[in-house]
Amino acid sequence: MKVFRKLQYNLDSVLEYGIYLLVFLLPLQTRLFLKQAYLGGAFWEYGTISLYLVDIFLIGLLVISTIVIVRKKEPIKIKKIWYLLAFFEFLVFVSIFFADSKSLALYGYIKILLGLFLFFIISESNYSHRKMTLSFLSGVFLQSIIGILQFFKNYSLPSKYLGMATHDPNVLGTFVVELEDKTRILRAYGGLDHPNMYAIFIFLGIFMFVKYLLELKHRNSISFRRQSVYFLILSFLYFSFLFSFSRAAFLIFIIYILFLIYWSIRDRNRRELIFKIILTFFTISIISFSLYGNLYLQRFNSSSRLENISNTERLNQTNEAINIIKENLFSGIGINNYTSQLKLFDIEEREAWNYQPVHNVYLLSLAELGLLGFITFLTIFAFLLYKCFKNKLFFDFFLIISILMLFLFDHWLWSLHFGIMFLFFILALIQRKISA
């Protein structure tokens, strides 16, 4: 019996600290290419099949978690959210049979399945929420350092251990801010595949850190030195966030500030701290704009060359998506098959970077899963919104609204490995709060 209890304790500890490490490593893009795809001689991300280091780590934790549950021999209470997720998973699986590329569809299904595994581990396992938050924030801080270095060097070296590609602003396809004199300034990527992904990742870090500060016990009696450290960290994270030059992320952040102002009116006990936080954001914004105002103005200049190209591409993508949806409204074209479908329509093959999913998760998920899958996907968010509102979890309610807004502007939360893992990680954190 003692041996059994010791083994149980050891497995519980391994699982707990494994979760902390997994959360820290979540943005890591280290992977083994199982099948590399090329178009026009260039690497094609959306036709590539990879095994990520995070996947192996996640599967290991899932095995340990299963053993822990079985050994405890306690009845498992299935929550309502799991019925929705199970039906969603089933519809994703069914979509494989409607896909032109079965291998890409199977890979897409496995990515969703891994996301569900992550959801289960984060929402159902026993661990310290405080330690998990600090682990995640450590990962965010590391990405912030990488992003700031990229911006100041105007270049990013590759790293096979971190899964980072080269980002050269002089190469077409690299995401930059282009000035009127054609000078190209690299937007911060961190260790991720796109500056928009980096921006939202850092935003979640800021969101969680602010929430951590607001929930501190004896926050009104914290020493000046400790407060200074907290606000230096917050300033550093926000500074790195601004170097993403992500318009969608900036819009969400402005709405977040309005939410904090509203919350300060509701919560008198935290009003002073919220005011200091907002003042910090305002001060860093003024400093950053005074130093790099030309970059921000150019990024938001809708008549600039790159912005005209971007707007035209997004309009064309929307029209392509609508045409695909019209022809496959009920069946869909299969999970992870959108860019493959675009390639089939072209008489002449375009360059690889020209085959992009539509920058709208609503259109993309509807095109790939069909109407029933799309409705089920949205129902998951509607259910969580209802539960957050019912339980008065207004910060979590705002976070879901932010995700739903982001769906309007980008595709990576649906189309890319990190995006799927990141999405289910956020949903798991919210579900954990609902169940608490």
Side-chain angles (χ1 to χ4, degrees):
M1 184 61 71
K2 288 183 179 179
V3 174
F4 171 76
R5 287 177 179 174
K6 187 175 181 180
L7 178 62
Q8 185 72 39
Y9 174 77
N10 289 338
L11 285 176
D12 286 341
S13 297
V14 169
L15 178 61
E16 179 185 354
Y17 286 92
I19 288 171
Y20 303 147
L21 184 57
L22 174 65
V23 168
F24 174 76
L25 297 175
L26 200 60
L28 196 67
Q29 299 295 288
T30 306
R31 56 175 164 169
L32 172 67
F33 291 105
L34 302 178
K35 175 192 172 186
Q36 285 185 279
Y38 293 88
L39 282 177
F43 177 71
W44 181 34
E45 175 65 47
Y46 301 103
T48 295
I49 298 175
S50 306
L51 176 64
Y52 287 79
L53 182 61
V54 171
D55 297 339
I56 300 172
F57 202 78
L58 175 61
I59 292 169
L61 289 181
L62 181 68
V63 171
I64 295 171
S65 178
T66 303
I67 295 172
V68 168
I69 291 170
V70 171
R71 286 185 178 275
K72 284 184 177 179
K73 297 180 180 179
E74 295 177 357
I76 300 173
K77 183 181 179 181
I78 301 177
K79 300 178 176 69
K80 291 179 181 178
I81 186 68
W82 281 104
Y83 291 107
L84 274 174
L85 291 172
F87 187 56
F88 171 68
E89 177 269 330
F90 171 73
L91 293 175
V92 173
F93 176 75
V94 169
S95 77
I96 296 174
F97 299 98
F98 296 97
D100 181 73
S101 174
K102 298 292 191 293
S103 59
L104 286 180
L106 180 61
Y107 178 54
Y109 169 70
I110 291 172
K111 287 192 292 184
I112 295 292
L113 209 56
L114 288 168
L116 291 172
F117 291 162
L118 179 64
F119 182 94
F120 171 76
I121 289 172
I122 297 297
S123 64
E124 302 297 329
S125 301
N126 292 320
Y127 57 86
S128 165
H129 182 71
R130 177 179 174 275
K131 290 180 181 178
M132 190 281 298
T133 299
L134 293 177
S135 298
F136 178 76
L137 289 174
S138 299
V140 172
F141 194 77
L142 176 61
Q143 294 300 316
S144 295
I145 294 172
I146 296 172
I148 286 176
L149 290 174
Q150 288 170 338
F151 176 76
F152 283 117
K153 292 177 68 176
N154 201 30
Y155 190 81
S156 177
L157 291 170
S159 171
K160 67 177 181 180
Y161 299 109
L162 295 177
M164 291 171 54
T166 301
H167 300 300
D168 185 345
N170 298 312
V171 175
L172 291 177
T174 303
F175 295 96
V176 299
V177 179
E178 186 179 76
L179 300 176
E180 292 182 359
D181 62 358
K182 305 302 180 185
T183 301
R184 292 164 62 89
I185 306 299
L186 184 70
R187 296 167 58 192
Y189 281 73
L192 298 167
D193 294 330
H194 196 289
N196 292 347
M197 299 168 67
Y198 167 83
I200 296 300
F201 182 70
I202 302 297
F203 169 73
L204 181 63
I206 293 171
F207 180 90
M208 291 179 68
F209 188 55
V210 168
K211 202 160 180 284
Y212 172 78
L213 294 178
L214 294 177
E215 292 174 351
L216 279 174
K217 294 180 179 179
H218 313 298
R219 57 188 169 275
N220 295 325
S221 58
I222 296 174
S223 66
F224 176 76
R225 179 179 295 180
R226 192 175 173 188
Q227 278 195 46
S228 299
V229 171
Y230 285 150
F231 281 96
L232 278 174
I233 293 172
L234 187 63
S235 300
F236 185 83
L237 292 178
Y238 183 56
F239 205 53
S240 67
F241 168 80
L242 292 174
F243 289 153
S244 69
F245 296 95
S246 171
R247 291 172 298 186
F250 288 176
L251 174 61
I252 289 172
F253 199 90
I254 290 170
I255 297 172
Y256 175 57
I257 295 297
L258 296 176
F259 171 76
L260 287 178
I261 293 171
Y262 162 74
W263 195 256
S264 69
I265 297 171
R266 286 179 55 97
D267 192 341
R268 293 182 180 181
N269 295 328
R270 295 175 174 84
R271 187 173 296 172
E272 182 180 345
L273 180 55
I274 293 174
F275 174 76
K276 289 179 181 178
I277 290 168
I278 294 173
L279 183 61
T280 300
F281 292 144
F282 180 75
T283 303
I284 297 301
S285 297
I286 294 298
I287 293 172
S288 185
F289 190 81
S290 66
L291 294 172
Y292 308 108
N294 59 330
L295 297 180
Y296 293 110
L297 291 174
Q298 190 66 12
R299 178 63 177 147
F300 286 90
N301 180 7
S302 59
S303 61
S304 68
R305 187 184 72 87
L306 285 186
E307 300 318 312
N308 278 329
I309 293 173
S310 176
N311 294 333
T312 301
E313 285 179 348
R314 287 180 181 243
L315 181 60
N316 291 338
Q317 288 173 357
T318 300
N319 291 332
E320 286 174 337
I322 291 172
N323 290 333
I324 290 175
I325 290 167
K326 285 179 179 178
E327 294 180 11
N328 306 273
L329 178 60
F330 296 103
S331 64
I333 58 173
I335 188 72
N336 203 37
N337 262 246
Y338 187 86
T339 50
S340 176
Q341 192 76 8
L342 290 181
K343 184 168 69 73
L344 290 176
F345 286 161
D346 278 358
I347 299 174
E348 294 184 5
E349 193 174 271
R350 290 181 269 172
E351 295 179 354
W353 60 270
N354 253 323
Y355 290 100
Q356 290 281 327
V358 59
H359 282 61
N360 186 308
V361 169
Y362 300 108
L363 293 177
L364 184 57
S365 58
L366 179 56
E368 290 192 342
L369 296 187
L371 190 58
L372 184 58
F374 173 71
I375 292 172
T376 305
F377 181 60
L378 291 188
T379 303
I380 295 168
F381 292 91
F383 177 81
L384 291 173
L385 278 173
Y386 167 74
K387 286 292 186 179
C388 286
F389 187 78
K390 184 180 178 181
N391 291 280
K392 297 183 179 180
L393 301 173
F394 297 114
F395 273 80
D396 301 279
F397 185 91
F398 169 81
L399 192 54
I400 298 174
I401 293 296
S402 299
I403 294 170
L404 294 174
M405 286 181 56
L406 188 62
F407 282 174
L408 291 168
F409 305 112
D410 223 320
H411 61 78
W412 59 271
L413 285 163
W414 179 269
S415 60
L416 294 176
H417 176 274
F418 171 75
I420 293 170
M421 301 294 279
F422 186 67
L423 176 61
F424 280 106
F425 171 69
I426 295 173
L427 297 183
L429 292 178
I430 294 169
Q431 171 60 27
R432 186 176 179 86
K433 287 293 294 292
I434 291 170
S435 302

